[in-house]
């Protein structure tokens, strides 16, 4: 998987040429995150308040070596616009992305929330309670297998981990089955 991530980081400038509206003129302003999950590539641009979903199946298929062809990247969806916390498809600096088989989590950093979508970017809900609502969200991640925490709490596959900072302290909120199951300051 690291080769795929390296491959796409090398070609971020090529993706920079792909306009979600006409594939000929858009230039990204500030790429905050690029996330590959299965054959979907999600791109967040903080300055344009935009999240784009591409199908890159042809590029990552293992059957044969492919030469890089910009036409093999298929634009599927664009969410774009300046938004407030309760706006379903608009953002104030989409910062980082995490993806599981049934959800895509997009940190709306300026609104201090996490917006939740289906893999096809259909709106599900907004997470706006907990430490991450009052702190600066730094990262989100999804665990890929069940985990048992030190305190005995058992987490299902695809639990959401939200890392946030306030006054130089790092906090972790873990959401499993739509409930906050663990949260608090991470000690040194």
């Amino acid at each position: 998987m690291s080769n795929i991530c390296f491959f796409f980081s090398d070609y971020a400038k090529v993706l920079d040429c792909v306009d979600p509206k006409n594939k000929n003129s858009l230039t990204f302003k500030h790429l905050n995150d690029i996330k590959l999950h299965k054959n979907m590539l999600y791109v967040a641009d903080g300055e344009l308040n935009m999240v784009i979903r591409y199908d890159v199946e042809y590029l990552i298929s293992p059957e044969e070596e492919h030469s890089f062809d910009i036409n093999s990247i298929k634009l599927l969806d664009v969410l774009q616009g300046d938004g407030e916390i309760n706006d379903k498809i608009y953002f104030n600096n989409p910062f980082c992305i995490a993806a599981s088989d049934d959800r895509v989590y997009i940190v709306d950093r300026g609104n201090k929330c996490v917006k939740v979508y289906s893999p096809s970017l259909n709106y599900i809900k907004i997470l706006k309670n907990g430490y991450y609502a009052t702190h600066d969200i730094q990262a989100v991640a999804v665990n890929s297998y069940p985990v048992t925490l030190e305190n005995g709490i058992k987490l299902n596959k695809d639990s959401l981990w939200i890392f946030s900072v306030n006054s130089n302290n790092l906090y972790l909120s873990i959401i499993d089955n739509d409930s906050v199951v663990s949260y608090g300051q991470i000690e040194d």
Side-chain angles (χ1 to χ4, degrees):
M1 209 43 119
S2 61
N3 290 340
I4 292 172
C5 294
F6 178 74
F7 173 81
F8 281 111
S9 66
D10 281 351
Y11 288 99
K13 294 209 181 284
V14 175
L15 284 175
D16 195 42
C17 302
V18 180
D19 180 341
K21 295 180 176 123
N22 66 24
K23 293 190 178 183
N24 291 323
S25 64
L26 177 75
T27 300
F28 290 114
K29 301 282 184 177
H30 190 266
L31 291 177
N32 281 340
D33 200 6
I34 298 173
K35 190 68 64 200
L36 179 67
H37 183 71
K38 296 189 175 182
N39 64 316
M40 293 296 131
L41 182 71
Y42 301 93
V43 180
D45 186 307
E47 190 170 330
L48 293 176
N49 290 318
M50 176 172 63
V51 174
I52 301 173
R53 180 175 72 113
Y54 297 100
D55 182 343
V56 294
E57 182 174 18
Y58 175 80
L59 294 176
I60 61 175
S61 63
E63 284 106 36
E64 58 185 80
E65 291 252 343
H66 301 290
S67 60
F68 187 80
D69 178 8
I70 194 68
N71 295 318
S72 65
I73 298 173
K74 296 177 185 159
L75 172 76
L76 299 176
D77 297 292
V78 178
L79 303 179
Q80 182 179 14
D82 298 340
E84 301 293 326
I85 192 168
N86 291 318
D87 289 328
K88 296 177 180 180
I89 60 170
Y90 302 118
F91 304 95
N92 181 0
N93 191 12
F95 183 67
C96 52
I97 302 168
S100 68
D101 290 343
D102 63 345
R103 295 200 175 171
V104 175
Y105 302 94
I106 302 170
V107 172
D108 188 346
R109 194 172 203 187
N111 289 317
K112 295 188 178 184
C113 67
V114 178
K115 295 185 178 179
V116 184
Y117 299 89
S118 70
S120 58
L121 294 183
N122 293 314
Y123 171 80
I124 295 175
K125 66 181 175 177
I126 299 172
L127 303 174
K128 53 187 175 182
N129 298 316
Y131 280 114
Y132 50 88
T134 57
H135 302 155
D136 291 324
I137 301 172
Q138 301 297 310
V140 290
V142 176
N143 59 302
S144 55
Y145 49 87
V147 174
T148 301
L149 302 177
E150 285 183 1
N151 59 8
I153 295 175
K154 294 183 180 191
L155 303 176
N156 296 304
K157 177 182 178 285
D158 296 336
S159 297
L160 177 65
W161 298 52
I162 302 172
F163 296 89
S164 59
V165 172
N166 188 16
S167 301
N168 295 323
N169 294 314
L170 180 62
Y171 294 86
L172 171 62
S173 300
I174 302 173
I175 300 173
D176 188 45
N177 288 333
D178 294 330
S179 298
V180 176
V181 296
S182 181
Y183 57 88
Q185 183 176 345
I186 298 175
E187 304 291 332
D188 289 336

